[in-house]
Amino acid sequence: MISEQMKGKWPQNIWAVTSDGIPLEAQLENPEAGVYHGYPMPESDPFSHEVIKEWKARDKKD
């Protein structure tokens, strides 16, 4: 999943879910080089549940 907000040619955020079901978020760190910094999303972040929900829905489509 990618954010709609762009910094140059790169999305500001990217989200994914590990095979263990852990939601991850990567934030653009260097827009010139397209370098991201990623980390597990805290369970207390309400958006982490949305990432998991959307990831599962997209996985069913494939």
Side-chain angles (χ1 to χ4, degrees):
M1 297 171 46
I2 61 171
S3 64
E4 292 180 9
Q5 183 180 1
M6 301 293 286
K7 297 284 184 168
K9 64 180 181 177
W10 304 101
Q12 175 63 39
N13 301 82
I14 299 174
W15 298 275
V17 178
T18 68
S19 59
D20 295 337
I22 299 169
L24 306 172
E25 179 174 21
Q27 293 185 352
L28 186 60
E29 191 171 84
N30 182 331
E32 290 78 31
V35 175
Y36 288 81
H37 174 78
Y39 52 88
M41 296 178 75
E43 203 170 301
S44 60
D45 182 343
F47 192 62
S48 69
H49 303 286
E50 292 299 316
V51 170
I52 292 170
K53 180 180 170 183
E54 181 67 23
W55 195 264
K56 287 180 179 178
R58 290 179 185 212
D59 194 35
K60 288 181 183 178
K61 292 178 185 177
D62 294 338

